[in-house]
Amino acid sequence: MPSSHLILCRPLLLLPPILPSISVFSSEATLCTRWPKCWSFSFSIIPSKNKEHPGLISFRMDWLDLLAVQGTLKMPSLPLCAFLLRFHHTTPVACCFSKTLSGEKYTDPFKLGWRDLKGLYEDIRKELFISTAELKEMSEYYFDGKGKAFRPIIVVLMARACNIHHNNSRNVQASQRAIALIAEMIHTASLVHDDVIDDASSRRGKHTVNKIWGEKKAVLAGDLILSAASIALARVGNTTVISILTQVIEDLVRGEFLQLGSKENENERFAHYLEKTFKKTASLIANSCKAVSVLGCPDPAVHEIAFEYGKNVGIAFQLIDDVLDFTSCSDQMGKPTSADLKLGLATGPVLFACQQFPEMNAMIMRRFSSPGDVDRARQYVLQSDGVQQTTYLAQRYCHKAVREISKLRPSPERDALIQLSEIVLSRDK
Amino acid sequence: MSLRQLLLRLPRYLGASGPLRGPLDTISSVISWRGQSSRSPAQWSQVVSEAEKIVGYPTSFMSLRCLLSDELSNIAMQVRKLVGTQHPLLTTARWWREDGEQCSFQMSRSKGLVHDSQNNLQLRGLVVLLISKAAGPNSVNASCQNYDMVSGIYSCQRSLAEITELIHTALLVHRGIVNLNELQSSDGPLKDMQFGNKIAILSGDFLLANACNGLALLQNTKVVELLASALMDLVQGVYYENSTLAKENHITDDIGISTWKKQTFLSHGALLAKSCQAAMELAKHDAEVQDMAFQYGKHMAMSHKINSDLQPFIKEKTSDSLSFNLNSAPVVLHQEFLGRDLWIKQIGEAQEKGRLDYAKLRETIKAGKGVTSAIDLCRYHGNKALEALESFPPSEARTALENIVFAVTRFS
């Protein structure tokens, strides 16, 4: 419906497709700032009598961008210009966009999350309370503050979002923060073991534990971190949470096993790939989100929302990771690329490419072990639309995540989680 | 074929796994329990089978439940590829046989010594079950009355026994990882070792994951904390075992017996002690009972380890090429009596062209006070274990626990 409202918009998300500013002038004095449904809108500006804004501008913003837009009111001092704002209804999602409770502006979910995570790595190191100097050094090696801490950020943001949804509580419980630590520790323990399994020599821009101290000690360091995480988990004192997170430990191992095997049937391969992706990456995020929601809110529907958000973001995250293995160059990632192919792994882009180039089947079955396989496979992938397809799939998972999380009461943290899923898609390392 | 018969035949299956590397001696001497020389096998296996009757079923069926999974058949296939290679995993764990029949995990000694399939049958689990039975239900606290009980043991306690074995076995498997940059040409192709490492890590992790899930099912956070801290202790203990000095330079670590005791508690005592305590917690026994169970577990494990360390020194017929762990109790005690410098000198004298003559060194140690003090230490811990048992009411199970201590401390 056309409306003649005044909206001064200043996008808070710096997404490429948005123009730096949009101005709409109206004669009406009041502005309704409630957006009961999610709209994507295009608007066209009718040339007005006033020569100040000639020309036709029309573009489309989808609702993610809309969330970033903040409406304010301005009394026009200019003559009337009529604008047509056409609203198009997109997905019928119940989504409330209203002024956030705290009135806080945020630009970066990481900054928002870090407020609760100050001292994260120091606290993790305290959990690794052991007397042997070398073992301690090995175990603390990755807790140097240089990791992305992506998982803890999601966890604390989810914790707040759930707490606010439940009873408007603006606090993060100590037990919820502990889950953030535990998630990061479990993740790191699995990384240490994965590096030994893959015989990796570098991670996050430095040498791996196994390269410096040898495989035997690296395995022990991983076990140590895992045991410390389990102790911390026990101390949270909630048996449901313990069950949720021990499931993660099992999923991580099963995911590794799935990676060991390969399916002959092309159709099974994709399902196998997604299952492996869930177990190895998404399960930790999904279940940590679920765990903090259990601690913050008794409503099982909320637990489900948290889980679904984590799961979908997790899968998207891994899919993009797999894409980046083909598209990025090694100095950005901190670990070398075509790593997956070299390990014999057929990831999303490869599986899509194989549909266009059936000659890749043989290479997949022999796990790219013949000389020249890795390069040829890479070429096929880059020639095909494998990367685009995988990215598109990741987008769909992200959208699902956003739909889920939008069911929670609005808060800066909830919006940050929405923003995070965008960041997952657009990251380049 | 019954499981027991299968296990008795195991030595033949294990057969030709080829010459093994030095570290395995460390592994096997630290872990396994030779029942043959110092006490008659009939006596020891009698003790064990009596004990098993008391707890209601042979403990060798434990940790089989987690074997019922696709992953492990996957592993079994992969492990078969290791046959003919020299990866330690082949010798520290025994997987499914060709026809898919399930075996419990076994430990073997290196260099073709007779395999004692009876004696290594998941001792920890057996002790946990026995102590659960010996403590009985908590007469004061009625909250456990809804738990089901078989042969006087709650099912959660049986679960716990299984979890203990899982944790122990997981670390056993993880001990078999090899350092790739230390390999020599005699170890065979690099990729075999890499593959073996991969499987070893995954299998160990799989067992740990099952242990964690089992712990979660117990729905008791204190027990989870106890076992998780036992795991942490165990990891540190295993770390100490991998001492480079002993392996590379053929020297004992520069530690006295008290440090040795601390390290051995971590690598051997902690798991059993905390597991026994956890078993009491599951039955809601009070702190005092829990502590007694802890003490029994700790001291029994210590005397078991010392007994195991003493084997090379007290057998009548010694196979001359038998090596022993330079960080074992008698050797550490010997070093402490002599002083480090003199001991290093003795080691030097026993070396011929850079290779250690174990037979000669053994005689040197036997001539000193190391062996006798180790025997005393073993008995000391045995007595402490018995003392801890006194607070439990007399029962078959308690007698069985006492018999285990007697068997471990008998040296004639």
Side-chain angles (χ1 to χ4, degrees), chain A residues 177-195:
Chain A
R177 188 174 178 280
I179 301 292
L181 267 77
I182 293 165
E184 188 66 1
M185 287 166 83
I186 294 178
H187 171 63
T188 308
S190 75
L191 284 185
V192 171
H193 278 189
D194 281 355
D195 283 343

Side-chain angles (χ1 to χ4, degrees), chain B residues 41-316:
Chain B
Q43 208 170 34
W44 172 245
S45 65
Q46 209 179 359
V47 168
V48 168
S49 57
E50 289 295 325
E52 288 180 338
K53 269 188 228 144
I54 292 169
V55 298
Y57 57 65
T59 53
S60 48
F61 288 123
M62 280 194 286
S63 42
L64 292 186
R65 266 186 264 152
C66 81
L67 304 187
L68 293 168
S69 64
D70 291 335
E71 280 79 10
L72 222 63
S73 63
N74 198 342
I75 303 180
M77 282 196 303
Q78 310 284 0
V79 169
R80 279 199 204 104
K81 293 184 202 166
L82 283 174
V83 172
T85 71
Q86 315 212 21
H87 198 278
L89 183 61
L90 268 188
T91 56
T92 56
R94 179 67 183 157
W95 305 90
W96 289 9
R97 289 171 59 229
E98 298 291 317
D99 59 7
E101 205 174 286
Q102 298 162 25
C103 318
S104 68
F105 291 114
Q106 290 292 301
M107 291 158 279
S108 73
R109 296 286 311 235
S110 60
K111 299 203 196 296
L113 294 173
V114 175
H115 175 74
D116 263 346
S117 54
Q118 291 117 319
N119 299 344
N120 291 328
L121 287 175
Q122 298 171 335
L123 177 74
R124 273 145 234 93
L126 181 57
V127 169
V128 170
L129 291 176
L130 282 172
I131 206 151
S132 303
K133 184 157 184 176
N138 188 341
S139 47
V140 175
N141 187 333
S143 63
C144 300
Q145 268 163 21
N146 296 332
Y147 301 170
D148 49 282
M149 210 184 224
V150 174
S151 288
I153 302 171
Y154 293 116
S155 57
C156 53
Q157 289 169 325
R158 285 191 192 275
S159 233
L160 178 70
E162 192 168 320
I163 291 167
T164 311
E165 283 299 328
L166 279 174
I167 293 177
H168 169 75
T169 312
L171 266 288
L172 189 62
V173 169
H174 275 182
R175 273 173 173 111
I177 307 281
V178 299
N179 277 334
L180 297 177
N181 58 4
E182 286 170 12
L183 292 176
Q184 293 151 5
S185 51
S186 54
D187 293 317
L190 174 68
K191 66 175 177 54
D192 285 346
M193 286 297 167
Q194 275 180 319
F195 184 71
N197 273 357
K198 196 170 174 169
I199 302 298
I201 297 175
L202 285 178
S203 324
D205 285 350
F206 178 70
L207 294 169
L208 281 177
N210 272 283
C212 289
N213 267 328
L215 282 174
L217 286 170
L218 294 175
Q219 299 279 295
N220 184 319
T221 63
K222 188 161 170 227
V223 166
V224 176
E225 193 174 343
L226 269 171
L227 271 283
S229 80
L231 175 63
M232 198 179 222
D233 292 340
L234 184 53
V235 172
Q236 291 180 74
V238 173
Y239 173 82
Y240 287 125
E241 277 172 16
N242 289 333
S243 129
T244 38
L245 279 180
K247 288 203 300 285
E248 284 173 12
N249 307 331
H250 296 293
I251 305 176
T252 309
D253 282 350
D254 193 6
I255 52 171
I257 192 67
S258 63
T259 313
W260 182 90
K261 282 202 221 177
K262 285 199 196 99
Q263 291 178 357
T264 306
F265 169 71
L266 289 175
S267 61
H268 284 71
L271 182 59
L272 187 55
K274 290 184 177 176
S275 193
C276 289
Q277 183 184 347
M280 300 298 101
E281 163 66 28
L282 283 172
K284 305 283 183 228
H285 286 294
D286 62 29
E288 216 184 286
V289 176
Q290 289 188 24
D291 188 48
M292 287 297 111
F294 179 94
Q295 296 298 327
Y296 175 81
K298 168 180 167 182
H299 290 289
M300 197 237 104
M302 295 294 283
S303 56
H304 168 199
K305 167 70 162 82
I306 298 170
N307 177 302
S308 169
D309 283 354
L310 277 166
Q311 295 309 310
F313 298 94
I314 54 180
K315 284 189 355 251
E316 289 309 316

Side-chain angles (χ1 to χ4, degrees), chain A residues 38 63 67 91-97 158 161-162 164-166 297 299-309 312 398-411 413-415 417-418:
Chain A
C38 290
W63 67 278
L67 285 175
T91 50
V93 172
C95 153
C96 303
F97 178 72
M158 180 62 75
C162 290
I164 290 171
H165 178 89
H166 175 53
C297 172
D299 182 2
V302 173
H303 308 161
E304 188 61 23
I305 290 171
F307 182 86
E308 285 294 318
Y309 173 83
N312 285 289
C398 275
H399 289 163
K400 172 97 168 71
V402 171
R403 281 203 297 280
E404 287 294 323
I405 196 73
S406 307
K407 295 175 188 166
L408 292 184
R409 194 187 289 200
S411 61
E413 285 78 18
R414 184 200 74 169
D415 299 337
L417 284 170
I418 291 172

